[in-house]
Amino acid sequence: MIRTKGGSIRRSGTGGSPRALGRARARARRRTRARRPCRSRQRLRRVLALGLPTAWGAIAITYKLTCPLAQQNGLGARIATCAVFFAVGTGLMFHVRRGLLRELRQIRKVAGATQGVLLRPPPPRVDGLAVAAAQFSADRGAGVGGDLYEVIGTEYGVRVVMGDVRGHGLAAIGTVAAVLGSFREAVHDEPELPGVLRRLERAMARHLRERAKAEHPSSALDPDGSVAEEFVTVLLLEIARDGEVRALNCGHPWPYLLRTDAGQGGVRGPVEHLGHGDPLPPLGLFPLPADLPVVPCGRLLPGETLFLHTDGVEDARDGGGRFFPLTAALTDTVRDRPASPQAVLAALLTRLLAHADGFPGDDVAVLVLRNDRVHTPVGHSESAAQHSTP
């Protein structure tokens, strides 16, 4: 049904048939009936929010003005009057507390929805890799902090980002959103890791310019302001189908490689720190160099695990000021038993929270990736191809 310029109504196609119009009206009536209970509850909450304090106050005033006991000056009368006013005050405090708790629950729902969109949990498996991740903010009231991670399967391999924004808590959420949004687009468009990193650098520069305009609308970037000191460390990984791992590191801690055995001949231990040379500068502080050489990090063989983390893990201190022994904790976790990514994550975070007396002083994020792909020997695949060839 279409309304013309003159205001007349004409039917258009089958959508204007009497049966279709009847169904549309029925759906509209059902939606209206569904909204009525919700609106009634909202009106009741508003009435209670205003009516209960008014009723308590009216009770106290009525007692004071009309009750004969309130007019007496004896000790018992004064005690009774104090008890009445104490009850009124207690009722008002409980009413205010209930309203604050309701608002807090609503805020937590919004924060949970924001966290699910911004720092969404990775799927349990990505292109043959088992994945587990966890993070928590140093701000006890915040569900999202300044750490970021993402795992995405692309035609170029599984690409991973791990990052840490300067500062922690709610103030770093804008930078996290800018970097993650750019990464989720760039990994599908850029065939090489340097192209992905260039996209992240441009996204970070745009974010800083927008923040500078918001904080200093009449000038450019303030060299003494907080925006000029904003930066984010980033670790980019690309895991190919054959397990080959390549990396670009902008000031972030290098990952650890976890094995369930000691390696060939016991030469390699169960935990190996994949530190390769000096990292690039963090994004936001200085421009990246013209040449971005990708760092080869060896192979992630079937059954082996990569452990990525932010510096909040290693910087966590106990009551005596001692740092968290990450290498020893990882060694104890994988020693003499195969461990799933979820088991590694749970064991490490349990030890970390115990070491930090319940809560580290910085944001913490951990990402664990295990290669669950089936390993096919090269000779076997070649012989199978020869047999299949006529």
Side-chain angles (χ1 to χ4, degrees):
M1 196 161 53
I2 302 174
R3 184 175 297 276
T4 63
K5 277 189 177 179
S8 61
I9 296 176
R10 62 180 178 89
R11 292 177 180 173
S12 174
T14 58
S17 64
R19 183 177 298 177
L21 292 175
R23 287 196 296 266
R25 292 193 185 101
R27 287 194 296 268
R29 284 195 295 268
R30 286 195 296 269
R31 286 195 295 267
T32 302
R33 286 195 296 267
R35 292 193 193 103
R36 284 173 184 169
C38 183
R39 291 175 179 173
S40 300
R41 287 193 295 269
Q42 291 176 355
R43 292 195 194 99
L44 180 60
R45 290 195 189 102
R46 286 195 292 266
V47 169
L48 292 177
L50 297 175
L52 285 180
T54 304
W56 283 107
I59 290 173
I61 295 173
T62 302
Y63 171 80
K64 182 64 178 176
L65 296 179
T66 62
C67 183
L69 186 62
Q71 310 301 325
Q72 299 178 10
N73 293 325
L75 180 60
R78 291 182 179 180
I79 292 176
T81 301
C82 291
V84 170
F85 279 93
F86 178 78
V88 170
T90 303
L92 288 174
M93 285 190 295
F94 274 109
H95 178 73
V96 172
R97 179 178 179 272
R98 184 179 178 183
L100 293 176
L101 289 177
R102 185 167 58 248
E103 291 182 6
L104 179 59
R105 286 193 294 267
Q106 184 65 25
I107 291 172
R108 286 178 175 174
K109 287 181 181 179
V110 174
T114 303
Q115 181 177 5
V117 173
L118 179 61
L119 196 62
R120 60 196 181 198
R125 296 183 66 83
V126 178
D127 194 15
L129 301 180
V131 183
Q135 69 87 32
F136 49 85
S137 172
D139 290 348
R140 295 176 183 258
V144 182
D147 294 343
L148 58 98
Y149 54 77
E150 185 63 284
V151 183
I152 300 178
T154 71
E155 59 179 311
Y156 313 109
V158 176
R159 288 177 166 177
V160 184
V161 65
M162 194 79 178
D164 186 359
V165 179
R166 174 188 175 270
H168 60 265
L170 297 174
I173 290 180
T175 306
V176 171
V179 174
L180 279 181
S182 177
F183 175 80
R184 288 165 180 164
E185 291 292 330
V187 290
H188 295 288
D189 300 336
E190 301 293 338
E192 300 294 337
L193 273 187
V196 178
L197 187 58
R198 294 291 184 192
R199 293 273 290 271
L200 298 188
E201 182 186 29
R202 291 196 293 270
M204 183 69 179
R206 284 194 302 269
H207 170 68
L208 293 181
R209 285 197 299 269
E210 292 171 358
R211 280 193 54 187
K213 290 179 182 178
E215 295 183 8
H216 309 281
S218 60
S219 62
L221 188 66
D222 183 9
D224 298 325
S226 60
V227 178
E229 300 175 356
E230 189 80 13
F231 65 88
V232 55
T233 65
V234 170
L235 174 66
L236 289 180
L237 294 182
E238 183 178 272
I239 305 173
R241 287 295 306 170
D242 60 356
E244 192 71 26
V245 180
R246 306 191 310 153
L248 281 173
N249 191 342
C250 294
H252 197 81
W254 287 98
Y256 287 83
L257 179 63
L258 312 182
R259 306 182 183 90
T260 56
D261 53 20
Q264 298 179 354
V267 176
R268 300 185 303 173
V271 176
E272 179 182 352
H273 187 229
L274 300 181
H276 298 275
D278 296 329
L280 299 168
L283 300 182
L285 286 180
F286 307 101
L288 291 176
D291 186 24
L292 298 177
V294 178
V295 179
C297 297
R299 268 186 159 185
L300 183 66
L301 301 178
E304 294 183 342
T305 301
L306 278 177
F307 179 88
L308 289 74
H309 65 287
T310 56
D311 58 6
V313 176
E314 293 178 309
D315 292 345
R317 304 194 185 199
D318 61 7
R322 294 181 293 270
F323 291 103
F324 179 66
L326 178 57
T327 304
L330 291 174
T331 303
D332 294 340
T333 301
V334 301
R335 179 181 294 156
D336 300 330
R337 65 182 185 276
S340 66
Q342 291 77 12
V344 172
L345 192 67
L348 183 107
L349 290 182
T350 300
R351 291 191 57 167
L352 176 66
L353 294 178
H355 178 86
D357 295 331
F359 220 86
D362 195 4
D363 296 337
V364 169
V366 175
L367 181 62
V368 186
L369 305 153
R370 186 180 66 187
N371 188 355
D372 285 349
R373 298 165 179 165
V374 177
H375 178 68
T376 303
V378 176
H380 176 75
S381 60
E382 290 177 350
S383 62
Q386 292 174 358
H387 284 299
S388 63
T389 304

